Amino acid sequence: MQNQEIRTFGRRHGKKLSARKLWLMDNILPVILPKNVKKAGNLILEIGFGNGEHVRDLAHVNPDSIIIGAEPFANGVAALLSAICDEKTNEILPEYTNIRIWPDDVRDYLRETDSQFSQIWVLHPDPWPKARHEKRRLLSAEFITMLATHLEKQGQIIIGTDHWEYFDWILAQLTTTKLKYSTPDMKTIHTRYAEKNKAGTTAPKYIIIEK
């Protein structure tokens, strides 16, 4: 029997979108879907980008790379679109023309692409802290192993969480795989979820995974 698909039950819709954001979703989003990006230079993927602050940072730091952000939450997608487009013309700003957006479950994208990434970022995934919700956690051994198949030879998966129990759980998952990993001290990567720090910890912890 095949393993049942993990369900994370993330919200797909939140508060009502403005007329501008609806227009961007209808007109700009279809143009920057990553479906036509295949082995087109250096590729970087961020999974669950929230409002897209780190996706924009990656675009600035890596102007010669294609940055693909995957986010199933419509309000987050709309927020990123709004941030990367000129407020008057609604055209994509020059510094963000290397951004692509997958507005759905990243697993669907990974199943249909043969792209290889130099970096895959997963920052502050929902920890689902209640024991009965553990199966909803995204970063299972199975999923991380799937991500690793999309890494370049020296590529890395970078995971960050401020929920330390989830951090330990991810490490336990990794011990069941053949992947190499480390837990380096890293400067905090600031996103709105990092600022919220719902877990109340001193700082996020990071894991770097390689094949």
Side-chain angles (χ1 to χ4, degrees), residues 75-176:
N75 291 70
V77 172
L80 178 55
L81 286 169
S82 180
I84 68 174
C85 292
D86 185 277
E87 291 186 4
K88 294 181 179 180
T89 67
N90 283 333
E91 294 180 353
I92 298 175
L93 296 166
E95 61 267 36
Y96 297 129
T97 55
N98 59 335
I99 289 177
R100 304 290 183 270
I101 299 176
W102 178 260
D104 212 327
D105 190 322
V106 71
R107 290 166 290 205
D108 294 335
Y109 169 62
L110 292 174
R111 290 188 189 104
E112 66 179 46
T113 184
D114 60 356
S115 294
Q116 300 287 294
F117 301 94
S118 61
Q119 296 177 346
I120 299 177
W121 293 82
V122 190
L123 299 177
H124 299 280
D126 193 327
W128 293 104
K130 295 182 180 179
R132 68 178 183 273
H133 292 158
E134 184 177 294
K135 290 183 179 180
R136 300 182 183 182
R137 289 176 166 175
L138 180 65
L139 294 170
S140 65
E142 180 182 8
F143 179 67
I144 295 172
T145 300
M146 177 188 185
L147 290 184
T149 66
H150 288 276
L151 283 179
E152 292 181 351
K153 185 176 181 181
Q154 295 181 325
Q156 295 181 328
I157 301 168
I158 305 101
I159 297 169
T161 178
D162 56 19
H163 193 280
W164 292 350
E165 190 274 329
Y166 191 20
F167 177 86
D168 291 339
W169 185 88
I170 297 167
L171 292 181
Q173 295 290 307
L174 285 168
T175 62
T176 69

Side-chain angles (χ1 to χ4, degrees), residues 183-187 206:
T183 56
D185 290 329
M186 291 174 56
K187 183 179 178 180
Y206 296 95

